[in-house]
Amino acid sequence: MATMKDIAKQAGVSTSTVSHVINQTRYVSDDIAKRVNLAAKQLNYAPSALARSLKMNRTKTLGMLVTTSTNPFFGEVVKGVERSCYQQGYNLILCNTEGDEERMRASIDTLLQKRVDGLMLMCTTLECKQVMDFERYPDVPVVVMDWGPIVEVSDKILDNSYQGGVMATQYLIDCGHKHIGCITGPLSQHQALNRFQGYQAAMQQAGLPINDDWVVESTFECEGGHEAMQTLLSRATRPTALFVSNDMMAMGAINAAAEHRIAIPHDISIIGYDDISIAQFMTPPLTTIHQPKYRLGKAAVEAVLARLKAMDAAPQLIKLEPTLIERCSVKILA
């Protein structure tokens, strides 16, 4: 592998001159710069990322911890993170926690050993809180993304889940529904709880009663939605509409309804949450609440880089607002 000394010898200049040209640390005449760059190209010279990171005390690498899930939501957010890293000249190391505390500890140790410039967390609240001691990493900015723990010492990029829950339920009410149920995610997680609280607030504001038989807590996965719908259909009465707290559960719920020959939206209307890419291809196409997944990833990268420039700045909370996507899974009664 060619070195700066090899380039200096071929270009007929000093090693320090080569360093200034490669690193753009001092003015060098155009003629000399051309000779150095030509020699570097002829010798297939590649700058040492390790040497540069040691000199600058920056690796131009960010780490991300994410909960493993079949939910495409996570992949769409990671896409935003990866593209933003690339645009900013950074590399990304992605670690799946597998929902396992020991694996998460090992992933954090690995990322710190790799000397990442910053960390982004997108893993479930309990999982992160049990493992992360945020005070231990004062020199490594930590940004908590949606699906992360609520802590006071880090920047947070969150979806306004409460408002999304209100918006979804209000849409069903505006469509004339008065008998509205809800399939929630695990209420120990702040997204699930906030969306459920939004449902409760919209129902209360409209003066509509909440039937406890029509509220089922589930898992945020397709299987959970399927099981929750089976439970609802086993009850003495059923609602005319359901707010399902994410699109994966909505997919499972629609499948369970089909098994019972219950048509969506003719017999039961369903609105989901997330607007994952496949929501538009469900049968029927799913009315849902759109989360700005790409912007969530982009905002997380921007927050880490901003924190690197101002480590002493107060932690910030950035909320991304949801929007309603109307498709064909909700029947208009009024």
Side-chain angles (χ1 to χ4, degrees):
M1 183 179 291
T3 66
M4 286 191 181
K5 287 184 179 180
D6 298 325
I7 297 173
K9 183 177 180 180
Q10 182 156 323
V13 298
S14 68
T15 303
S16 63
T17 298
V18 173
S19 176
H20 288 309
V21 172
I22 298 296
N23 296 311
Q24 297 182 342
T25 51
R26 197 187 73 186
Y27 172 77
V28 177
S29 70
D30 290 344
D31 179 58
I32 293 177
K34 287 179 182 177
R35 283 159 48 194
V36 169
N37 288 326
L38 178 61
K41 184 176 180 179
Q42 290 173 339
L43 294 170
N44 293 319
Y45 171 76
S48 170
L50 176 60
R52 182 171 293 182
S53 68
L54 290 172
K55 182 176 181 180
M56 301 178 64
N57 200 29
R58 287 281 184 268
T59 60
K60 301 287 283 186
T61 301
L62 301 180
M64 183 177 182
L65 293 172
V66 62
T67 296
T68 298
S69 171
T70 57
N71 192 342
F73 168 84
F74 291 96
E76 293 177 33
V77 174
V78 170
K79 181 179 179 180
V81 170
E82 192 280 330
R83 185 173 296 177
S84 296
C85 283
Y86 173 76
Q87 292 170 345
Q88 298 283 353
Y90 275 74
N91 296 308
L92 176 68
I93 301 177
L94 178 66
C95 296
N96 289 329
T97 66
E98 298 283 352
D100 180 78
E101 183 176 315
E102 204 54 45
R103 177 159 181 175
M104 184 175 182
R105 290 183 191 276
S107 296
I108 292 171
D109 288 342
T110 297
L111 292 171
L112 293 176
Q113 288 168 14
K114 295 288 186 181
R115 299 186 64 188
V116 294
D117 294 336
L119 283 172
M120 291 167 285
L121 303 182
M122 197 174 185
C123 40
T124 60
T125 302
L126 294 178
E127 182 186 333
C128 285
K129 275 189 174 178
Q130 289 170 353
V131 178
M132 285 295 294
D133 180 1
F134 292 87
E135 307 283 355
R136 289 176 53 201
Y137 312 109
D139 299 326
V140 180
V142 177
V143 172
V144 174
M145 304 170 68
D146 203 34
W147 290 72
I150 300 298
V151 291
E152 300 302 322
V153 295
S154 67
D155 295 325
K156 293 172 282 293
I157 316 293
L158 302 176
D159 164 57
N160 192 344
S161 291
Y162 175 83
Q163 182 58 34
V166 171
M167 189 180 297
T169 309
Q170 188 60 52
Y171 178 75
L172 296 175
I173 295 169
D174 290 344
C175 288
H177 294 275
K178 297 180 180 179
H179 306 289
I180 302 171
C182 182
I183 297 177
T184 78
L187 295 177
S188 60
Q189 297 180 18
H190 68 85
Q191 308 92 334
L193 180 60
N194 288 345
R195 292 172 194 179
F196 179 54
Q197 289 173 338
Y199 157 80
Q200 291 175 309
M203 293 289 283
Q204 182 178 15
Q205 186 173 358
L208 298 176
I210 295 176
N211 187 331
D212 291 340
D213 282 348
W214 299 342
V215 176
V216 181
E217 183 177 356
S218 195
T219 65
F220 272 142
E221 302 292 343
C222 283
E223 295 82 1
H226 186 277
E227 292 173 9
M229 180 61 97
Q230 296 279 21
T231 299
L232 281 167
L233 295 178
S234 70
R235 301 279 161 80
T237 61
R238 66 178 185 229
T240 64
L242 279 174
F243 166 40
V244 184
S245 295
N246 81 341
D247 291 349
M248 292 293 282
M249 290 195 298
M251 188 185 307
I254 290 172
N255 181 263
E259 291 173 1
H260 288 264
R261 299 185 182 278
I262 291 174
I264 308 297
H266 183 268
D267 299 318
I268 297 180
S269 293
I270 288 181
I271 186 169
Y273 201 109
D274 283 343
D275 191 30
I276 58 177
S277 58
I278 60 175
Q280 61 188 307
F281 302 111
M282 293 183 192
T283 304
L286 185 66
T287 295
T288 187
I289 301 298
H290 174 78
Q291 275 210 76
K293 296 168 286 296
Y294 178 83
R295 283 200 291 124
L296 176 65
K298 184 174 183 289
V301 174
E302 291 173 348
V304 172
L305 300 186
R307 176 63 54 184
L308 285 169
K309 295 178 181 178
M311 291 295 291
D312 296 332
Q316 61 176 332
L317 170 62
I318 300 173
K319 279 194 176 183
L320 302 179
E321 297 301 323
T323 54
L324 174 71
I325 303 296
E326 296 184 68
R327 294 194 179 102
C328 305
S329 62
V330 175
K331 180 179 180 180
I332 299 176
L333 299 183

